[in-house]
Amino acid sequence: MFWRIVSFLACQFIGGTIGWFAASPTGMETTELEALALGVVLGGLVWFLIDASRGGHLLKWLRLGEFSEVALRAGLWGEASARVRRLVLDRDRLLRESQDRLQDFLLAFQASPNGVILLDAQGSIEWFNQTAAAHFGLDAQRDMLQHIGNLVREPSFVRYFAAQDFQQELLMPGRDSTLARPVRISVHLYPYGQGRLLLLSRDVTALEQADAMRRDFVANVSHEIRTPLTVLGGFVETLQTCSFTEQERDRYLALMAQQAERMQTLVSDLLTLSRLEGSPPPGTSNWIAMPALMRQLEQDGQALSAALHPAAASLHTLRFDCPLQDDLAGAGNELHSAMSNLLSNAIRYTPVGGDISVRWFLLPDGRAEFSVSDSGPGIAPEHLPRLTERFYRVDQSRSRDTGGTGLGLAIVKHVAQRHEAELRIESVLGKGSTFAIVFPAARHRAPQN
Ligand code: ADP
């Protein structure tokens, strides 16, 4: 401001001086004074014109909004333009920062595995992520600012939204839900800000399926245990209330022992399954000698065949063909359990006198295969995909009569998966079946002496 006054006075001084000297040669005193005054006024006017032009330049600069350079460098207008520029640049930086932060938040919401929808106080959609778009079939171009009630027409959702009671989540069928492939979505609305709503959605199909499987599993286990338990209870009661000959007593006790053994086998299979599910997969540092394992299986097989058919004149013909001598990497007890399950199934389901062939050999691609083939009844194609489900049986009574728990192939599948191996099942009804476990090349090696 000081320089502004100084420049104004300087202009007037220069104007007055020019007026004074311009009038001096005429020698008239009044005219000199008038010329001086006129010079001062003209000097002031010139200063004003220059100042107004600088002010106009500043205004034009503000209007254009081109703030990369200051409008003027010196004087009051220069300082004003520098300050305005700094303010504008600071505001731009803050705006950029808050936009970046908003963008980060939206990217985080976008990356969320849950669906996120932001609704305004009227229930119109302000923003949603891709997961929500998939859950509700929304389109980013078409559906922004539309009312959620117009887009999600599922009656349970309409009721939930209208009731305005968002304490509980809502479970509703997903958009692509069909009877064969049900999809379940969990929806929860959370009020925030001034009347706004945050909608979170989650695909809970897998969770619900796991829950249903757990319920089925508990029901199956209870059923499997209840049957032998009821039989045992009946025998105990009979033995307590009636008198029997020693022979009859022995027969009843033998039947009771059979039921107790059935329960023991079931519990042991259940424990094996839970161990397989709850422990880390076996590494490749422990090597099992396959020739010894094969000899063990052969002995077990002969014993089982004889135990199942004590009165038979000729038992099953068991053939062991093991051209591969390689060791196998994995957990010995698991591998023995899986392989003996396959052999025991072949013996139990193949009528006595039938052929059973066990092989351990190298495939052309370097993998190693353990297989059990039988000349038994075979399995119809529609059962094949379900054989490894727990408690799935093609023939209930045959399985139970021969001591089956319905868990054998589930155990085999688990063991195979834990050893990065593949379980293959081929069967022709009336001709026989082949169950094979194919191990990766890295899991077998020549025996080390
Ligand atoms: P289980 O204890 O009942 O044998 P598994 O899980 O071992 O249970 O087998 C499931 C079902 O697959 C069996 O109940 C049986 O119906 C069928 N199955 C398994 N192996 C054979 C086989 N070698 N031949 C015919 N059917 C078989």
Side-chain angles (χ1 to χ4, degrees):
M1 200 62 192
F2 172 76
W3 289 111
R4 193 170 165 76
I5 294 167
V6 168
S7 67
F8 179 66
L9 292 176
C11 277
Q12 285 186 323
F13 177 76
I14 293 167
T17 311
I18 292 172
W20 176 269
F21 281 109
S24 284
T26 60
M28 289 172 71
E29 216 163 280
T30 45
T31 317
E32 275 176 359
L33 277 177
E34 277 171 13
L36 176 97
L38 190 66
V40 168
V41 170
L42 281 175
L45 196 66
V46 166
W47 180 90
F48 178 76
L49 286 175
I50 293 172
D51 193 60
S53 123
R54 285 166 61 83
H57 185 65
L58 179 69
L59 268 180
K60 189 175 165 199
W61 177 75
L62 283 173
R63 228 176 284 126
L64 289 177
E66 193 39 71
F67 299 115
S68 53
E69 280 287 321
V70 284
L72 299 158
R73 298 211 172 270
L76 184 89
W77 295 129
E79 191 179 334
S81 81
R83 282 176 187 250
V84 167
R85 180 171 175 269
R86 204 172 315 130
L87 281 176
V88 168
L89 291 183
D90 280 354
R91 192 206 56 189
D92 281 356
R93 186 174 46 77
L94 285 176
L95 198 69
R96 249 195 331 274
E97 279 174 8
S98 64
Q99 269 174 348
D100 286 351
R101 218 167 303 137
L102 178 69
Q103 208 53 37
D104 281 350
F105 276 124
L106 293 181
L107 282 176
F109 279 145
Q110 199 61 272
S112 161
N114 293 339
V116 180
I117 303 181
L118 303 180
L119 300 173
D120 67 12
Q122 279 69 48
S124 301
I125 297 179
E126 288 188 319
W127 188 86
F128 58 83
N129 68 357
Q130 278 164 5
T131 316
H135 286 167
F136 300 105
L138 302 177
D139 183 299
Q141 305 290 324
R142 188 192 59 203
D143 298 331
M144 278 306 174
L145 302 178
Q146 296 286 324
H147 194 275
I148 186 84
N150 296 336
L151 300 170
V152 183
R153 298 217 169 241
E154 163 60 30
S156 56
F157 178 81
V158 174
R159 278 197 301 279
Y160 176 67
F161 193 71
Q164 294 286 309
D165 175 10
F166 307 131
Q167 305 263 352
Q168 306 282 330
E169 64 177 355
L170 165 77
L171 275 180
M172 58 180 256
R175 200 167 57 97
D176 304 322
S177 188
T178 58
L179 261 184
R181 239 181 51 90
V183 179
R184 302 283 289 163
I185 304 285
S186 145
V187 177
H188 207 157
L189 278 159
Y190 299 91
Y192 76 100
Q194 298 197 324
R196 289 160 183 270
L197 288 170
L198 168 71
L199 185 154
L200 294 183
S201 60
R202 218 156 34 105
D203 189 334
V204 290
T205 314
L207 274 178
E208 293 245 311
Q209 272 169 357
D211 214 33
M213 270 169 70
R214 189 187 52 76
R215 279 196 303 272
D216 283 356
F217 182 67
V218 172
N220 275 323
V221 171
S222 314
H223 176 75
E224 294 289 332
I225 288 185
R226 199 179 50 200
T227 315
L229 214 55
T230 313
V231 179
L232 258 179
F235 281 135
V236 170
E237 211 178 300
T238 317
L239 284 173
Q240 280 170 337
T241 50
C242 311
S243 53
F244 294 103
T245 63
E246 198 158 322
Q247 220 176 5
E248 282 170 332
R249 250 177 99 86
D250 285 351
R251 200 163 62 83
Y252 280 138
L253 285 173
L255 287 169
M256 287 168 74
Q258 204 181 23
Q259 296 304 322
E261 194 185 320
R262 195 174 142 188
M263 280 197 290
Q264 249 166 7
T265 320
L266 178 68
V267 171
S268 145
D269 275 2
L270 285 171
L271 284 175
T272 305
L273 261 182
S274 102
R275 260 197 304 273
L276 290 176
E277 281 173 345
S279 60
T284 49
S285 53
N286 187 39
W287 291 91
I288 311 299
M290 280 301 277
L293 183 55
M294 287 294 174
R295 278 195 297 279
Q296 167 86 53
L297 287 176
E298 193 166 1
Q299 280 166 18
D300 295 349
Q302 305 283 11
L304 179 66
S305 177
L308 283 175
H309 309 284
S314 69
L315 299 170
H316 296 101
T317 308
L318 284 184
R319 247 184 239 107
F320 275 72
D321 173 21
C322 306
L324 186 63
Q325 295 294 305
D326 278 12
D327 295 343
L328 181 59
N333 55 346
E334 289 183 25
L335 292 168
H336 177 260
S337 161
M339 291 173 183
S340 69
N341 257 309
L342 293 185
L343 180 58
S344 115
N345 277 357
I347 294 170
R348 283 166 43 231
Y349 294 107
T350 305
V352 71
D355 289 335
I356 291 163
S357 151
V358 179
R359 297 185 70 208
W360 171 238
F361 61 102
L362 193 64
L363 290 174
D365 61 7
R367 292 183 297 166
E369 178 171 318
F370 170 86
S371 73
V372 181
S373 305
D374 62 56
S375 60
I379 304 160
E382 66 269 23
H383 295 293
L384 294 180
R386 300 197 57 191
L387 283 187
T388 54
E389 285 176 23
R390 292 159 188 205
F391 299 112
Y392 188 85
R393 293 164 168 120
V394 180
D395 182 345
Q396 298 278 350
S397 59
R398 175 123 190 84
S399 161
R400 290 214 176 90
D401 291 350
T402 55
T405 57
L407 296 174
L409 289 180
I411 292 175
V412 176
K413 189 177 119 188
H414 262 288
V415 172
Q417 279 173 347
R418 285 162 62 81
H419 288 80
E420 297 135 8
E422 186 191 340
L423 172 65
R424 287 185 187 163
I425 307 174
E426 283 164 22
S427 190
V428 179
L429 204 56
K431 289 236 164 84
S433 318
T434 297
F435 289 79
I437 310 176
V438 183
F439 294 92
R443 280 206 176 252
H444 68 91
R445 67 166 191 199
Q448 319 276 294
N449 294 315

